[in-house]
Amino acid sequence: MKPFFITTAIDYTNGAPHIGHAYEKVLTDVIARYQRLAGRDVFFLTGVDQHGQKVQQSAEKAGIAPQEYVDQITAKFRALWQKLGVDYDGWAATTEASHKACVQTILQRLHDEGQLYKAKQSGYYSVRQEQFLTEKERGPDGNFGPEWGEVILVEEENWWFKLAEHKQWLLDLLDRRPELVVPSFRLAELRNAVAKLEGDLCISRPKSRLTWGIELPFDRDFVTYVWFDALVNYISFAPGYDAAAGADLTEFKRWWPAVHVIGKDILVPAHGVYWPIMLKAIGFSDDEIPQLLVHGWWNISGEKMSKSLGNVIDPDVLADKYGAAAVRYYLVADITTGKDADFSEERLIQRYNVDLANSIGNLLNRTLNMAAKYRNGVLKQSLEGGLKERAEFFVQAYAPAMEEFQINAALEKALGLAVEANQFVEQTKPWALAKAGDDAALDAALYHLAETLRILAILLSPVLPQAARGIWDQLGVSGEFRLADATWGGLPDGHQLGKPVPLFPRIETPASE
RNA sequence: GCCAGAGUAGCUCAGCGGUAGAGCAGGGGACUCAUAAGCCCUUGGUCGGGGGUUCGAUUCCCUCCUCUGGCACCA
């Protein structure tokens, strides 16, 4: 089976992580864990984008070296991912030497292939946006608006990448391989943007203005444009990649192409236009163009989250307050992949309490209590009837949803199984069976509940790895489970269950007391 | 302005040609193994407005309104 290479966007180390950063990483982590569960080799790459003028300026303001500045911010990101259980295999940091070498190799390659040219340009330059402004960017009063920040008059020579040359190729590719952009309505958006594409891309910045970047190998007076630098991380930190001349790239080719998980804000033009054209220009085939999974945003009370509105949600605080499981679950359960959603702490609590504590946690607890009370926790295997077919049904419905990145839909299947198991308890009434001395029916009911829980934990494990482990521990089983183990009869005859401990303690709030 | 997305129960959303669905919230009930959890029943919507196609539209088409995103314009 082809291995699975998945990446996130690399975060710009110019400020602390917010809920949007956390969402993207958790989403990717869940997909990576699912693919692993399904039996594939997985490489999950994430990291940080550390170059650029804004970083250089922030560091100057803080009175420290750029590297020191980015190291501090980077540490915050890594600590958060650890807290949230984001378990990546590769860490991309654009200031690393190997990355620089890769960027330079690719630049040199483009240069050799005649894809780059040098041209003079003069005009107004926005420091904040790191781009030249044209007359059309002027406001009605003839001045450049505040959204551009400081604007300076610049005349300089720069290096350009022949982007427009590949426009038709990209349009054809998108028509031929619509699956390259998920969800599909984003493909339409990208297509429109490509159709309007004109002009080439300036990929250099003179050192006189910006030193914090990667040098052009064929012209030492320049550093490369941040996007050109950042996008290359997907190759430079890919498994099996080696920038050295004549290196064996068999392993790299085995993993490539990646699935890039990105936010809707960086589809056009960076990931949807620049990146595929860059890959094409350096010799990647059409089949080696990566798929883009474009996710939406968490809004706050219907408004965009932003520092100026003061409504930024700190995932670190959230995780301390409610635990990583609650945050992870909420972030992938309460949003449809690709769409926007409204963030609400109340809803986070509600979904944790209702789905995890009341439905799943309580199911585990009542099952183990009854088994302990009536049967000393010993099971008798039952391979027919009861919940068997329902469990198999939900497992079958779960996998396709996960394959299509519809985590929320997949979780609904897992939860549906828990709901039916709770109904099963009410129908079979084990306490009544115990009182009536109907041992055969009692044993069967208890086995079906325990076995359903074992399978349920497998379905939950990509989203809630710790909790899944907790369920197995309490059931008294050890070892790693794959999706292939989510078949009926895994718990052996005579199995001894463990002791019940509340798995998801309810979050009590002032309103609920 | 162009392109796209969204407008469905109090809330969050699913459905997308055949007399409206889920979860949560609200109301009622029976039970007791359990994290006062779970289970059963239930209140609640002229599916943004208006046209059209159709035997029949929330579902397709047109148009308008509102919100969101991208792109553009701003003489």
Side-chain angles (χ1 to χ4, degrees), chain A residues 151-169:
Chain A
V151 175
I152 50 180
L153 185 60
V154 172
E155 170 160 349
E156 63 189 34
E157 232 181 349
N158 270 306
W159 284 90
W160 297 77
F161 172 44
K162 293 180 181 171
L163 204 64
E165 195 172 276
H166 304 281
K167 172 177 167 177
Q168 194 55 48
W169 164 80

Side-chain angles (χ1 to χ4, degrees), chain A residues 293-313:
Chain A
L293 172 58
V294 187
H295 68 250
W297 284 346
W298 285 95
N299 298 316
I300 315 295
S301 310
E303 285 188 303
K304 197 149 85 168
M305 179 171 54
S306 76
K307 278 182 192 165
S308 49
L309 283 170
N311 60 0
V312 175
I313 301 292

